[in-house]
Amino acid sequence: MEPKKILNISVDCVVFGFDITNKSLNVLLIKRFLKSEDAKEVLINDYVLTGYHVYENETLDDTATRVLKELTGLTNQYKKQFKAFGDPDRLMNEKDLAWIKNQEFNLRTTTIAYYFLLKTEDVDLKSNTYQPLWFPVSNLPELGFDHEKIILEAYEDLKVKCLSEPIIFKLLPDKFTINEVQDVYESILGIEIDNRNFRRKLIKKKYIIALDEKQVGISKKPAQLYMFSKDIYQKMFKKNYLISI
Amino acid sequence: MEPKKILNISVDCVVFGFDITNKSLNVLLIKRFLKSEDAKEVLINDYVLTGYHVYENETLDDTATRVLKELTGLTNQYKKQFKAFGDPDRLMNEKDLAWIKNQEFNLRTTTIAYYFLLKTEDVDLKSNTYQPLWFPVSNLPELGFDHEKIILEAYEDLKVKCLSEPIIFKLLPDKFTINEVQDVYESILGIEIDNRNFRRKLIKKKYIIALDEKQVGISKKPAQLYMFSKDIYQKMFKKNYLISI
């Protein structure tokens, strides 16, 4: 039996995935589709984030973990609770009201929003019952509820956070090239970075470890592979604040 | 008549104030005091944050603004929603249960926590019906509910944020000395900063404007006063991300 739901508190998950092949920061969305009762008219045809009510007996973090697992099968991904959204009218537009009409749903629901960072290749889309799809953050489809706002605020938080914490490595494979690190920064920040300068600065960092390996499956000029050492990073920054403002 | 409350959603406010005289980052707390029915025993004698239920018709931001205004009379202060706390057992210890026994309160309440930044001197403590008190963040009293956790998480967020955004100026008067800026950083970060180096770097920033004024009321060597220009700061950093990791 399903545990008791808290009807006016939900968790919504912004699942960010980096598509390393297409150098694109994407977000995972679920289709919302509804026809009129006579089936002649399409009432709703848009996308939403994945989310669910919080159960009475679980923490907010547990809810987020559960929702991600149900959508993607994945556990132990980087997650961050970044904001609660509780405007009185956040579920009140016409389509949203039609959508939740037959659901056990409190119209004044506050949602606690999380974002996750992972690699698009880690999500198996084909055998997924929710049929989620990846969309570039820079090119979102029409979104239901206040989910566009939630995604954009998650994205702003990610932009700020990626400049002060080494979270971008959550979007990359364990072994990566310097160009791939640059690709992630450029995708997130929407800027072009001078390659030589970036490379020079990055390989100087003690927590970027050069491996005795090169890319495989690249016919010419396979690039040097690196890894990120969380241990070294944490030791370096333990009390070593960098005042940059 | 009071608007309808959402019984399981509240807002709690961590009011940070900088005490410029004592160079101390403080937090504003309210006493919680309860005697046993026979008045022979003190059951509760600790402190809590100020907070209240969200009304059905208001946004979370509105609730936070309302709570701060009621406690301090202040409006238009810097505020940040930093985290929701919703553990199932967050209000379940013995003292908390005794405290909320006669109140209209859902035991599974999720609270949306905000912090505010202001100057301790801006709050009039004397004529305040809530009798709040300032405590140094580094020396908190016994706290009820999960409020110690909430304060410490707010403080962590502030530490990170003050390194990437010019929010510390919210803790200072409009006109300040370089030493006072250093005092704020040292108080927040709990570190000592080399004064000459800090001064040299700070006065070079275009958004730190030297005024044609010096401190008043200082008998010898009054220091030069400066102000922070938000306009210049915003123009400088509009698309100029600083990748420092």
Side-chain angles (χ1 to χ4, degrees):
Chain A
M1 208 185 76
E2 190 180 12
K4 201 175 168 212
K5 290 181 270 190
I6 301 176
L7 291 183
N8 66 343
I9 303 182
S10 63
V11 159
D12 278 300
C13 295
V14 180
V15 182
F16 287 121
F18 187 64
D19 176 347
I20 201 165
T21 311
N22 298 302
K23 304 178 184 180
S24 174
L25 180 71
N26 294 347
V27 62
L28 197 60
L29 300 172
I30 294 172
K31 198 173 189 72
R32 206 170 61 150
F33 188 83
L34 183 70
K35 282 191 171 180
S36 58
E37 278 175 32
D38 59 10
K40 282 183 180 160
E41 204 189 337
V42 174
L43 296 179
I44 308 176
N45 184 11
D46 58 14
Y47 289 84
V48 287
L49 295 168
T50 182
Y52 203 76
H53 293 287
V54 176
Y55 291 143
E56 283 280 359
N57 59 357
E58 72 184 349
T59 66
L60 306 175
D61 278 4
D62 288 345
T63 312
T65 302
R66 168 168 61 81
V67 167
L68 183 81
K69 192 182 173 194
E70 182 145 343
L71 178 70
T72 66
L74 299 173
T75 52
N76 295 317
Q77 304 296 311
Y78 173 88
K79 74 165 174 290
K80 190 195 169 193
Q81 190 214 101
F82 70 95
K83 198 167 182 187
F85 294 81
D87 280 3
D89 60 354
R90 58 177 289 270
L91 308 176
M92 294 294 192
N93 89 49
E94 205 183 324
K95 285 185 185 176
D96 299 334
L97 291 173
W99 182 253
I100 59 190
K101 196 172 57 176
N102 300 314
Q103 295 181 48
E104 203 185 0
F105 216 95
N106 186 314
L107 286 179
R108 178 68 206 267
T109 287
T110 292
T111 197
I112 317 299
Y114 283 75
Y115 64 79
F116 286 86
L117 301 180
L118 44 86
K119 302 168 267 297
T120 54
E121 66 197 33
D122 286 347
V123 182
D124 178 14
L125 296 181
K126 277 179 197 152
S127 59
N128 195 305
T129 45
Y130 296 91
Q131 299 180 282
L133 286 174
W134 289 111
F135 288 87
V137 174
S138 57
N139 192 18
L140 295 171
E142 189 184 334
L143 287 150
F145 304 120
D146 56 352
H147 289 188
E148 182 171 2
K149 185 180 176 190
I150 293 176
I151 293 169
L152 295 179
E153 293 213 24
Y155 183 34
E156 272 311 308
D157 194 285
L158 174 61
K159 277 185 188 175
V160 171
K161 209 170 160 73
C162 82
L163 297 174
S164 60
E165 285 184 41
I167 54 172
I168 57 135
F169 300 107
K170 311 285 183 187
L171 295 161
L172 285 168
D174 291 343
K175 300 171 183 182
F176 49 76
T177 69
I178 298 295
N179 280 349
E180 286 167 347
V181 180
Q182 185 175 340
D183 289 342
V184 177
Y185 272 121
E186 291 189 339
S187 300
I188 295 176
L189 299 174
I191 56 171
E192 280 184 37
I193 297 171
D194 176 67
N195 177 267
R196 280 170 66 181
N197 207 9
F198 182 80
R199 170 176 296 275
R200 190 172 47 77
K201 281 167 83 172
L202 201 66
I203 58 180
K204 260 196 230 158
K205 310 273 186 192
K206 290 208 175 72
Y207 51 81
I208 302 291
I209 315 286
L211 299 172
D212 198 16
E213 281 180 67
K214 295 203 166 187
Q215 283 177 302
V216 289
I218 307 284
S219 53
K220 48 179 179 180
K221 279 212 180 185
Q224 165 86 51
L225 291 171
Y226 294 82
M227 60 169 275
F228 168 69
S229 167
K230 195 178 163 189
D231 284 353
I232 296 176
Y233 183 88
Q234 282 177 338
K235 274 178 203 154
M236 280 174 67
F237 286 90
K238 215 174 172 182
K239 283 234 158 187
N240 186 9
Y241 293 105
L242 181 78
I243 299 175
S244 63
I245 70 148
Chain B
M1 207 185 76
E2 190 180 11
K4 200 174 167 211
K5 289 180 270 189
I6 301 177
L7 290 183
N8 65 345
I9 303 182
S10 64
V11 158
D12 278 300
C13 296
V14 181
V15 182
F16 287 120
F18 187 64
D19 176 347
I20 202 165
T21 312
N22 298 303
K23 303 178 184 180
S24 174
L25 180 71
N26 294 347
V27 61
L28 196 60
L29 299 173
I30 294 172
K31 196 171 191 75
R32 207 170 61 152
F33 188 83
L34 183 70
K35 282 193 171 177
S36 58
E37 279 174 34
D38 59 10
K40 283 185 180 157
E41 204 188 337
V42 173
L43 296 179
I44 308 177
N45 184 10
D46 57 15
Y47 289 85
V48 287
L49 295 168
T50 182
Y52 203 76
H53 293 288
V54 176
Y55 291 143
E56 283 281 359
N57 60 355
E58 72 183 350
T59 66
L60 306 175
D61 279 3
D62 288 345
T63 311
T65 302
R66 168 168 61 80
V67 167
L68 184 80
K69 192 181 173 195
E70 182 145 344
L71 179 69
T72 65
L74 299 173
T75 52
N76 295 318
Q77 303 297 311
Y78 174 88
K79 74 165 174 287
K80 190 195 168 195
Q81 190 214 100
F82 71 96
K83 198 168 181 189
F85 295 81
D87 280 5
D89 59 356
R90 58 176 290 270
L91 308 177
M92 294 295 193
N93 88 50
E94 205 183 325
K95 284 186 186 176
D96 299 333
L97 291 173
W99 183 252
I100 60 191
K101 196 172 56 177
N102 300 315
Q103 296 182 46
E104 202 184 4
F105 215 94
N106 186 314
L107 286 179
R108 179 66 207 266
T109 287
T110 292
T111 198
I112 318 298
Y114 283 75
Y115 64 79
F116 287 85
L117 301 181
L118 44 87
K119 300 169 268 297
T120 53
E121 65 196 34
D122 286 347
V123 182
D124 178 13
L125 295 182
K126 277 180 198 152
S127 59
N128 195 304
T129 45
Y130 295 92
Q131 299 181 282
L133 286 174
W134 289 110
F135 288 86
V137 174
S138 57
N139 192 16
L140 295 171
E142 190 186 335
L143 286 149
F145 304 120
D146 55 352
H147 290 188
E148 182 170 3
K149 185 180 177 190
I150 293 176
I151 293 169
L152 295 179
E153 293 213 24
Y155 183 35
E156 271 311 306
D157 194 285
L158 174 62
K159 278 185 189 176
V160 172
K161 211 171 159 74
C162 81
L163 297 174
S164 59
E165 284 183 43
I167 54 172
I168 56 135
F169 300 107
K170 310 286 183 189
L171 295 161
L172 285 167
D174 291 344
K175 300 171 183 182
F176 49 77
T177 68
I178 298 296
N179 280 350
E180 287 168 346
V181 180
Q182 184 174 341
D183 289 342
V184 177
Y185 272 121
E186 291 189 338
S187 300
I188 295 177
L189 298 174
I191 54 171
E192 280 184 36
I193 297 172
D194 176 67
N195 177 267
R196 281 170 67 180
N197 207 9
F198 183 80
R199 170 176 296 275
R200 189 171 48 76
K201 282 167 81 174
L202 201 65
I203 58 179
K204 261 197 227 159
K205 309 273 186 194
K206 290 208 176 70
Y207 50 82
I208 302 291
I209 316 284
L211 299 172
D212 197 15
E213 282 179 66
K214 295 203 167 188
Q215 283 178 302
V216 290
I218 306 285
S219 52
K220 48 180 179 178
K221 278 213 180 185
Q224 164 86 51
L225 290 171
Y226 294 82
M227 59 168 276
F228 167 70
S229 168
K230 196 178 164 187
D231 284 354
I232 295 175
Y233 184 87
Q234 283 178 337
K235 274 177 201 151
M236 281 175 66
F237 285 90
K238 215 174 173 184
K239 283 232 158 193
N240 186 9
Y241 293 105
L242 181 78
I243 299 176
S244 62
I245 72 144

